[in-house]
PDB file of all heavy atoms in Angstrom:
ATOM      1  N   ARG A 661     -69.187 216.026-108.927  1.00 91.00           N
ATOM      2  CA  ARG A 661     -70.386 216.583-109.597  1.00 91.00           C
ATOM      3  C   ARG A 661     -70.060 217.885-110.319  1.00 91.00           C
ATOM      4  O   ARG A 661     -70.729 218.156-111.346  1.00 91.00           O
ATOM      5  CB  ARG A 661     -71.505 216.791-108.592  1.00 91.00           C
ATOM      6  CG  ARG A 661     -72.148 215.557-108.068  1.00 91.00           C
ATOM      7  CD  ARG A 661     -73.470 215.842-107.400  1.00 91.00           C
ATOM      8  NE  ARG A 661     -73.333 216.871-106.367  1.00 91.00           N
ATOM      9  CZ  ARG A 661     -73.850 218.067-106.474  1.00 91.00           C
ATOM     10  NH1 ARG A 661     -74.513 218.468-107.519  1.00 91.00           N
ATOM     11  NH2 ARG A 661     -73.697 218.938-105.467  1.00 91.00           N
ATOM     12  N   TYR A 736     -47.719 217.066 -95.656  1.00 96.00           N
ATOM     13  CA  TYR A 736     -47.497 217.974 -96.782  1.00 96.00           C
ATOM     14  C   TYR A 736     -46.155 217.812 -97.431  1.00 96.00           C
ATOM     15  O   TYR A 736     -45.902 218.265 -98.607  1.00 96.00           O
ATOM     16  CB  TYR A 736     -47.724 219.454 -96.340  1.00 96.00           C
ATOM     17  CG  TYR A 736     -49.153 219.700 -96.158  1.00 96.00           C
ATOM     18  CD1 TYR A 736     -49.923 219.138 -95.106  1.00 96.00           C
ATOM     19  CD2 TYR A 736     -49.895 220.519 -97.075  1.00 96.00           C
ATOM     20  CE1 TYR A 736     -51.255 219.418 -94.970  1.00 96.00           C
ATOM     21  CE2 TYR A 736     -51.230 220.776 -96.923  1.00 96.00           C
ATOM     22  CZ  TYR A 736     -51.887 220.197 -95.879  1.00 96.00           C
ATOM     23  OH  TYR A 736     -53.265 220.464 -95.751  1.00 96.00           O
ATOM     24  N   PHE A 791     -67.514 231.172 -96.243  1.00 91.00           N
ATOM     25  CA  PHE A 791     -66.236 231.768 -95.736  1.00 91.00           C
ATOM     26  C   PHE A 791     -66.533 232.382 -94.400  1.00 91.00           C
ATOM     27  O   PHE A 791     -66.760 233.572 -94.243  1.00 91.00           O
ATOM     28  CB  PHE A 791     -65.715 232.790 -96.721  1.00 91.00           C
ATOM     29  CG  PHE A 791     -64.284 233.057 -96.588  1.00 91.00           C
ATOM     30  CD1 PHE A 791     -63.304 232.197 -97.151  1.00 91.00           C
ATOM     31  CD2 PHE A 791     -63.787 234.129 -95.862  1.00 91.00           C
ATOM     32  CE1 PHE A 791     -61.936 232.428 -96.993  1.00 91.00           C
ATOM     33  CE2 PHE A 791     -62.448 234.387 -95.666  1.00 91.00           C
ATOM     34  CZ  PHE A 791     -61.536 233.540 -96.281  1.00 91.00           C
ATOM     35  N   THR A 825     -76.278 234.822-117.059  1.00 75.00           N
ATOM     36  CA  THR A 825     -77.223 235.836-116.788  1.00 75.00           C
ATOM     37  C   THR A 825     -76.788 236.768-115.632  1.00 75.00           C
ATOM     38  O   THR A 825     -77.101 237.974-115.620  1.00 75.00           O
ATOM     39  CB  THR A 825     -78.628 235.233-116.487  1.00 75.00           C
ATOM     40  OG1 THR A 825     -78.916 234.295-117.499  1.00 75.00           O
ATOM     41  CG2 THR A 825     -79.685 236.290-116.418  1.00 75.00           C
ATOM     42  N   ASP A 869     -77.579 221.161 -90.727  1.00 91.00           N
ATOM     43  CA  ASP A 869     -78.186 221.501 -89.463  1.00 91.00           C
ATOM     44  C   ASP A 869     -77.361 222.502 -88.660  1.00 91.00           C
ATOM     45  O   ASP A 869     -77.909 223.148 -87.742  1.00 91.00           O
ATOM     46  CB  ASP A 869     -78.464 220.206 -88.640  1.00 91.00           C
ATOM     47  CG  ASP A 869     -79.635 220.352 -87.685  1.00 91.00           C
ATOM     48  OD1 ASP A 869     -80.608 221.063 -88.101  1.00 91.00           O
ATOM     49  OD2 ASP A 869     -79.584 219.820 -86.579  1.00 91.00           O
ATOM     50  N   ILE A 961     -81.480 249.950 -98.927  1.00 98.00           N
ATOM     51  CA  ILE A 961     -80.152 250.449 -99.321  1.00 98.00           C
ATOM     52  C   ILE A 961     -80.177 251.974 -99.176  1.00 98.00           C
ATOM     53  O   ILE A 961     -80.963 252.655 -99.844  1.00 98.00           O
ATOM     54  CB  ILE A 961     -79.831 250.071-100.777  1.00 98.00           C
ATOM     55  CG1 ILE A 961     -79.746 248.529-100.887  1.00 98.00           C
ATOM     56  CG2 ILE A 961     -78.467 250.641-101.179  1.00 98.00           C
ATOM     57  CD1 ILE A 961     -79.499 248.040-102.296  1.00 98.00           C
ATOM     58  N   TYR A 972     -86.632 242.600-101.596  1.00 98.00           N
ATOM     59  CA  TYR A 972     -87.084 241.423-100.945  1.00 98.00           C
ATOM     60  C   TYR A 972     -86.305 240.196-101.469  1.00 98.00           C
ATOM     61  O   TYR A 972     -86.273 239.980-102.665  1.00 98.00           O
ATOM     62  CB  TYR A 972     -88.590 241.195-101.179  1.00 98.00           C
ATOM     63  CG  TYR A 972     -89.475 242.294-100.652  1.00 98.00           C
ATOM     64  CD1 TYR A 972     -89.909 243.351-101.441  1.00 98.00           C
ATOM     65  CD2 TYR A 972     -89.860 242.311 -99.293  1.00 98.00           C
ATOM     66  CE1 TYR A 972     -90.746 244.350-100.901  1.00 98.00           C
ATOM     67  CE2 TYR A 972     -90.647 243.286 -98.768  1.00 98.00           C
ATOM     68  CZ  TYR A 972     -91.089 244.331 -99.591  1.00 98.00           C
ATOM     69  OH  TYR A 972     -91.885 245.360 -99.057  1.00 98.00           O
ATOM     70  N   GLY A 976     -85.079 228.938-100.217  1.00 96.00           N
ATOM     71  CA  GLY A 976     -85.751 227.882 -99.462  1.00 96.00           C
ATOM     72  C   GLY A 976     -85.506 226.498-100.106  1.00 96.00           C
ATOM     73  O   GLY A 976     -85.229 226.389-101.277  1.00 96.00           O
ATOM     74  N   ASP A1042     -89.454 238.218-124.500  1.00 82.00           N
ATOM     75  CA  ASP A1042     -88.540 237.358-123.718  1.00 82.00           C
ATOM     76  C   ASP A1042     -87.356 236.935-124.598  1.00 82.00           C
ATOM     77  O   ASP A1042     -87.406 236.831-125.795  1.00 82.00           O
ATOM     78  CB  ASP A1042     -89.257 236.142-123.157  1.00 82.00           C
ATOM     79  CG  ASP A1042     -89.664 235.163-124.233  1.00 82.00           C
ATOM     80  OD1 ASP A1042     -90.785 235.334-124.790  1.00 82.00           O
ATOM     81  OD2 ASP A1042     -88.930 234.203-124.514  1.00 82.00           O
ATOM     82  N   GLY A1121     -97.513 246.757-100.472  1.00 89.00           N
ATOM     83  CA  GLY A1121     -98.391 246.536-101.635  1.00 89.00           C
ATOM     84  C   GLY A1121     -97.760 245.627-102.653  1.00 89.00           C
ATOM     85  O   GLY A1121     -98.024 245.712-103.847  1.00 89.00           O
TER      86      GLY A1121
END
Side-chain angles (χ1 to χ4, degrees):
R661 288 194 308 110
Y736 285 71
F791 201 80
T825 309
D869 207 37
I961 299 176
Y972 295 98
D1042 69 275

